[in-house]
Amino acid sequence: MTRVGRVRAEATAAARSFLRRKTAVFFTFFFPVILVVVFGALVRTQPGGGGLFAAPASYYVPGYLATVVLFTPLSRVGSEIARHRDDHRFEKLATTPLSRGEWLAAHTLVNLGVIGAASLLILLLVVSLTGAGVPLTVETLLLVPFVALAVVLFCGFGAILGRVADSQDGVIAASNTIALPLLFLSDTFLTPSLLPDWFGTVEYLSPLTYFARGVRTLTFDPAGTTLSTPPLGTVGNLAVLAALAVVFFAVGAVAVPRTE
C-alpha cells in the first residue's frame, strides 16, 4: 500500500470513529454556535461605547473562527492519542507500515473536514445574527488557507499534549488550560486598547495571534474607525502561520507514540 493509501485508510477509519460518537459530533458544532448566539446576538455590540464588544461586529469574526480552529484539534487529537495509548493501539500500529507522520496527517485531514464545515457554519451565523459585513472578494478566499494552516498547527500541538498528558482527562484539562488564555489574549475578542501596552509584545508569542490578525485583514474594513491595522498584513500573517504550522506538525509527528 502506498503512503497516500495508508493515510486515506487511517483517515477513513478515524472519520467513521468520530461520526459514531454522536455526542462528540454534536458538541463540536454546538460550542462555537452557542458562543456566536450568546456574544454575537444576545450581547449586542455597541460601536464607540467602550469596553468589551464595543467594536463593530465584523471585528470579532476572527475570534469566533478561532474557537473552532483552536479547541477542536487540541482536544480531539490529544484525546485520540490518549485513547489509542490506553487501548494499546499504538503497539499494534507499530507492526504496520503506517508512520507517525502519516497517522497525524490522517487525523489532521479529518479535522480539516470537520472544522472547515464548522467554520462555514460560524461565518453564516455571524453574518445573519450579528449583521457583520464580511467583504465578498477574491481575497476573502484566503480564509481557506488561514483555517487550514491553523488546523494543521493545532493538530500538531494536540499531538504534543496527547504525548505529555497521562490520560484523556489530563488532555482535556491541559487543552482547556492552554486554549482559554490563547482565545482571549491573541487579539481576538479583546481589542489592543483594553490591554496593557507591554502586552503587545507578548501577543506575538501566541500562534493564534497571526491567525486572528490575518483573518481580520480579510473580514474587517477598519476605514473610518480608530482600530489599529495588523502590522504584518495578510501575507505576512499567513507566512508566519505557515511556518509555525510546519514546525508544530513536525514536532507533533515525533511526539506520536509508537509503543508504550
Side-chain angles (χ1 to χ4, degrees):
M1 183 181 290
T2 64
R3 176 174 298 176
V4 173
R6 293 193 296 270
V7 172
R8 182 171 60 245
E10 178 65 23
T12 301
R16 290 175 177 173
S17 175
F18 171 68
L19 292 175
R20 283 196 297 266
R21 298 195 297 272
K22 304 300 182 183
T23 303
V25 174
F26 175 76
F27 281 102
T28 296
F29 291 91
F30 178 76
F31 176 68
V33 167
I34 198 64
L35 194 71
V36 173
V37 171
V38 171
F39 291 111
L42 299 181
V43 182
R44 293 284 184 175
T45 60
Q46 298 178 353
L52 294 173
F53 293 94
S58 56
Y59 182 87
Y60 301 105
V61 171
Y64 295 125
L65 292 177
T67 60
V68 68
V69 302
L70 174 64
F71 280 90
T72 303
L74 278 183
S75 60
R76 288 201 68 249
V77 174
S79 296
E80 198 69 22
I81 287 180
R83 190 181 300 111
H84 273 53
R85 187 171 53 210
D86 291 344
D87 295 339
H88 303 287
R89 295 184 193 177
F90 285 118
E91 294 181 355
K92 298 177 181 178
L93 288 176
T95 64
T96 71
L98 188 72
S99 68
R100 290 179 287 188
E102 291 168 353
W103 185 93
L104 183 57
H107 288 263
T108 300
L109 285 174
V110 176
N111 277 277
L112 282 171
V114 172
I115 296 170
S119 298
L120 181 59
L121 176 62
I122 288 173
L123 276 175
L124 293 174
L125 284 175
V126 169
V127 171
S128 60
L129 294 180
T130 70
V134 177
L136 296 178
T137 64
V138 176
E139 288 77 13
T140 309
L141 293 176
L142 287 174
L143 285 174
V144 175
F146 267 108
V147 170
L149 289 171
V151 172
V152 173
L153 191 159
F154 289 110
C155 280
F157 203 157
I160 297 170
L161 289 182
R163 178 61 180 266
V164 173
D166 57 358
S167 65
Q168 292 186 52
D169 290 339
V171 168
I172 295 173
S175 62
N176 288 336
T177 300
I178 293 172
L180 280 174
L182 286 182
L183 180 62
F184 290 99
L185 299 177
S186 301
D187 202 359
T188 50
F189 292 108
L190 298 178
T191 58
S193 61
L194 296 176
L195 298 170
D197 293 337
W198 58 264
F199 193 80
T201 303
V202 179
E203 281 182 321
Y204 285 100
L205 300 177
S206 168
L208 192 64
T209 297
Y210 304 99
F211 170 81
R213 291 181 174 174
V215 169
R216 187 167 291 121
T217 64
L218 301 171
T219 60
F220 175 67
D221 181 10
T225 72
T226 58
L227 297 174
S228 61
T229 302
L232 295 179
T234 305
V235 176
N237 283 293
L238 186 62
V240 174
L241 191 65
L244 291 174
V246 171
V247 172
F248 274 88
F249 185 87
V251 176
V254 174
V256 174
R258 291 297 290 173
T259 58
E260 291 297 327

